[in-house]
Amino acid sequence: HAYDRKKKMWEADRLPTANPTPIDVAGAGDSILACSAVMLASGANIWEAALCGTVGAGGQISRIGNIPLRQDEIIQLLQGYAG
């Protein structure tokens, strides 16, 4: 849920999973927070930040260990998610 100050109401949306077959969930929370925070700091809205965080977490759980995602990996994941 996100509060829209202009409309003065709460909005909700659901994002499909970015990876339905996780290998190792280590780092998923770190990735969703980091990706979302960078997006918000860059001027994205809450929905764009949530999407990037979801895709980042999906990429993180596709490998073993909490290894930080590189920028090029996140871009590739977003392009693949968009179809």
Side-chain angles (χ1 to χ4, degrees):
H1 292 75
Y3 188 72
D4 187 325
R5 293 181 187 189
K6 291 180 184 176
K7 296 179 184 177
K8 296 185 179 180
M9 61 183 287
W10 286 92
E11 295 183 345
D13 202 354
R14 294 180 188 257
L15 296 172
T17 182
N19 184 343
T21 56
I23 295 173
D24 182 359
V25 296
D30 297 341
S31 294
I32 196 167
L33 290 173
C35 290
S36 297
V38 168
M39 290 293 290
L40 289 171
S42 299
N45 65 39
I46 191 71
W47 303 115
E48 294 165 333
L51 175 65
C52 186
T54 298
V55 172
Q60 181 62 42
I61 65 173
S62 68
R63 54 189 171 187
I64 295 175
N66 189 358
I67 304 163
L69 292 166
R70 295 185 323 269
Q71 181 180 3
D72 62 309
E73 291 176 306
I74 295 170
I75 291 169
Q76 184 178 14
L77 289 166
L78 286 167
Q79 290 171 339
Y81 188 83

